[in-house]
Amino acid sequence: MHPIAFKPIKELFSKEEVNHGRQTELDIAKVILLFFMVCCNCILSLSRFGDGCEISSTIFHTIAECFGAAGFMFCMGAVLIYSRKTTPKAIIKRGCILFLIGIALNIMREVIPYLLLVLTSGETQYFSVVYQALWCFEILHFAGLALILFGVLKWMKATNLHIAAIALIMSVIGTLFRDYNFGIPEVNQLVGLFIGTEFIDGFENCFPLFSWFIFVAAGYFFGQFLSRCKDKKTLYLYITPIALLIAVIYSTVAFIHGFGMFSTGVYHLTTYEAFISILGAISLIGICYFISGYLPGPVHAAITSISKNVNAVYCIHGVLIGSMVEVLLGAVRKVLRSVNDLQFILMAIAIFVVSALAAEVYSRWKIKIKNSRHELKGA
């Protein structure tokens, strides 16, 4: 038997970019993480029906909250390397659009459904939920702010070292000043866009920029290495086991003993917890690379479609949860006392599949409209 020959790390990389276009492992990781976020959002909406889906809640909260959103933002940073529109202006514009989409999604997902719930049930206490929803800032708002900041840094011609230093300093500041309470919910929410403030009176601020920008920056650096990698198989063989081992050991110990993000939650995570989540993201991407060769063509096509339409899928699922879970299930809450694990899983899968199909239809419709406009201009 011949001993396994390990290549020096330097031999794995080229000075020039050798990987272009879509990276299958990133697409698969994005779809998996998106599904976990859909499940997590379903759990949050179903929580008022009791604890019938206790097992699913534990699984998806543990994975989706602690690694799902972080991994997704890591992938967003990596994909920036492969994007066709990488000018500072294009990145800033995309960030502004995402932030506005986040506001629109809050209205469609929370404000309108709960207003309808008030009208159908007559229970005016839901007016407070409507007001809170107007001040809710979540992952799309963060993604928008992160891209705006990244675009500004690119415009200022910041080097990788500058970006890394800024991301690390922001994370440390976010750690030191997290959960501060100004005593006024609205002030807490506005400051919470940048530094995680304490949740009070039902107001929640999630994904503050200072705590979460480190994932986008780390993903961006990972994407740079990946784009120059001549032997991705060997690279992932090197890094995946180490990253996975550290992430699993930490997660197991933290979950059993109830400390860190398994105790205080993931939204205002500390710097060392961010590094654990980054390792979790890298290990997932590595695993996705190795399973990608075993997926049949139709599955690859479906994954590519969902990955391309990821923003649309996320928005559509949010609207579906708002309309179906909050309004329809709310109307029959006297009959439906609780939702069990099987019902929850079926509901989450149905919402994910319908959202993906609707996003693909929307994407094709946009392409058709765009082609029609080009034809009219050329006529």
Side-chain angles (χ1 to χ4, degrees):
M1 294 180 62
H2 297 285
I4 298 175
F6 290 96
K7 296 181 181 178
I9 291 293
K10 289 184 178 181
E11 291 186 9
L12 301 180
F13 299 97
S14 168
K15 293 182 179 180
E16 306 295 332
E17 292 185 359
V18 293
N19 292 314
H20 304 279
R22 306 198 71 85
Q23 304 300 301
T24 304
E25 65 270 30
L26 293 179
D27 283 340
I28 297 173
K30 285 167 61 180
V31 172
I32 291 174
L33 294 169
L34 178 61
F35 176 70
F36 278 118
M37 287 194 289
V38 169
C39 290
C40 193
N41 288 337
C42 283
I43 287 174
L44 293 175
S45 295
L46 291 171
S47 60
R48 63 190 182 88
F49 290 97
D51 55 359
C53 50
E54 188 174 325
I55 298 175
S56 299
S57 179
T58 301
I59 294 173
F60 287 109
H61 268 298
T62 301
I63 299 176
E65 281 203 348
C66 297
F67 298 107
F72 198 84
M73 290 299 101
F74 184 88
C75 289
M76 186 182 83
V79 169
L80 283 173
I81 296 296
Y82 300 96
S83 175
R84 290 174 296 177
K85 298 179 180 180
T86 57
T87 64
K89 181 180 179 180
I91 295 174
I92 292 172
K93 179 181 177 181
R94 182 182 169 194
C96 292
I97 291 173
L98 275 180
F99 192 89
L100 294 175
I101 289 175
I103 294 174
L105 180 60
N106 277 353
I107 295 173
M108 295 293 293
R109 180 177 59 185
E110 302 280 355
V111 176
I112 294 177
Y114 274 105
L115 284 176
L116 291 174
L117 193 56
V118 170
L119 293 175
T120 56
S121 67
E123 298 181 18
T124 56
Q125 72 267 23
Y126 289 115
F127 277 125
S128 62
V129 180
V130 172
Y131 183 68
Q132 291 165 7
L134 292 172
W135 290 89
C136 177
F137 302 112
E138 47 104 296
I139 196 164
L140 284 178
H141 302 87
F142 160 74
L145 288 177
L147 288 178
I148 291 171
L149 174 58
F150 195 85
V152 170
L153 292 175
K154 294 283 285 184
W155 174 71
M156 296 175 65
K157 302 187 185 304
T159 64
N160 284 345
L161 182 60
H162 293 148
I163 296 173
I166 290 170
L168 183 59
I169 291 171
M170 288 174 64
S171 179
V172 171
I173 292 174
T175 299
L176 294 176
F177 295 97
R178 66 177 184 157
D179 297 330
Y180 185 83
N181 185 3
F182 289 91
I184 304 173
E186 292 80 2
V187 174
N188 272 18
Q189 290 303 98
L190 290 175
V191 176
L193 277 168
F194 304 97
I195 295 178
T197 50
E198 185 176 336
F199 296 174
I200 57 174
D201 297 338
F203 288 78
E204 297 183 357
N205 58 83
C206 310
F207 311 108
L209 181 66
F210 276 54
S211 297
W212 283 76
F213 182 71
I214 192 170
F215 295 112
V216 180
Y220 178 72
F221 301 141
F222 179 81
Q224 287 182 329
F225 282 108
L226 196 62
S227 68
R228 296 189 293 106
C229 182
K230 298 181 292 184
D231 186 353
K232 291 203 293 184
K233 181 178 180 180
T234 301
L235 173 67
Y236 285 125
L237 278 174
Y238 283 177
I239 65 176
T240 302
I242 298 173
L244 182 62
L245 183 63
I246 295 173
V248 168
I249 290 176
Y250 170 85
S251 301
T252 303
V253 174
F255 181 78
I256 292 174
H257 295 282
F259 66 82
M261 53 187 169
F262 291 92
S263 172
T264 59
V266 68
Y267 296 128
H268 304 166
L269 77 179
T270 62
T271 302
Y272 83 86
E273 291 167 345
F275 280 113
I276 296 296
S277 295
I278 288 170
L279 292 176
I282 292 173
S283 62
L284 174 63
I285 293 170
I287 292 171
C288 290
Y289 172 82
F290 290 112
I291 68 174
S292 64
Y294 299 94
L295 299 179
V299 175
H300 266 294
I303 288 172
T304 301
S305 171
I306 296 172
S307 181
K308 285 181 178 179
N309 302 322
V310 67
N311 290 334
V313 174
Y314 185 84
C315 290
I316 293 170
H317 107 271
V319 174
L320 285 176
I321 289 176
S323 60
M324 187 177 76
V325 175
E326 304 294 356
V327 178
L328 297 181
L329 293 185
V332 295
R333 64 191 178 283
K334 293 181 180 179
V335 178
L336 187 64
R337 295 295 182 183
S338 66
V339 178
N340 61 38
D341 286 287
L342 178 60
Q343 291 169 329
F344 161 74
I345 291 294
L346 293 176
M347 183 181 299
I349 293 174
I351 289 175
F352 185 76
V353 171
V354 171
S355 300
L357 292 174
E360 178 63 19
V361 171
Y362 173 68
S363 176
R364 293 184 182 185
W365 175 78
K366 281 200 311 180
I367 294 173
K368 184 177 180 180
I369 294 297
K370 185 178 180 180
N371 292 338
S372 298
R373 288 177 178 175
H374 285 310
E375 290 175 2
L376 289 174
K377 288 181 179 180

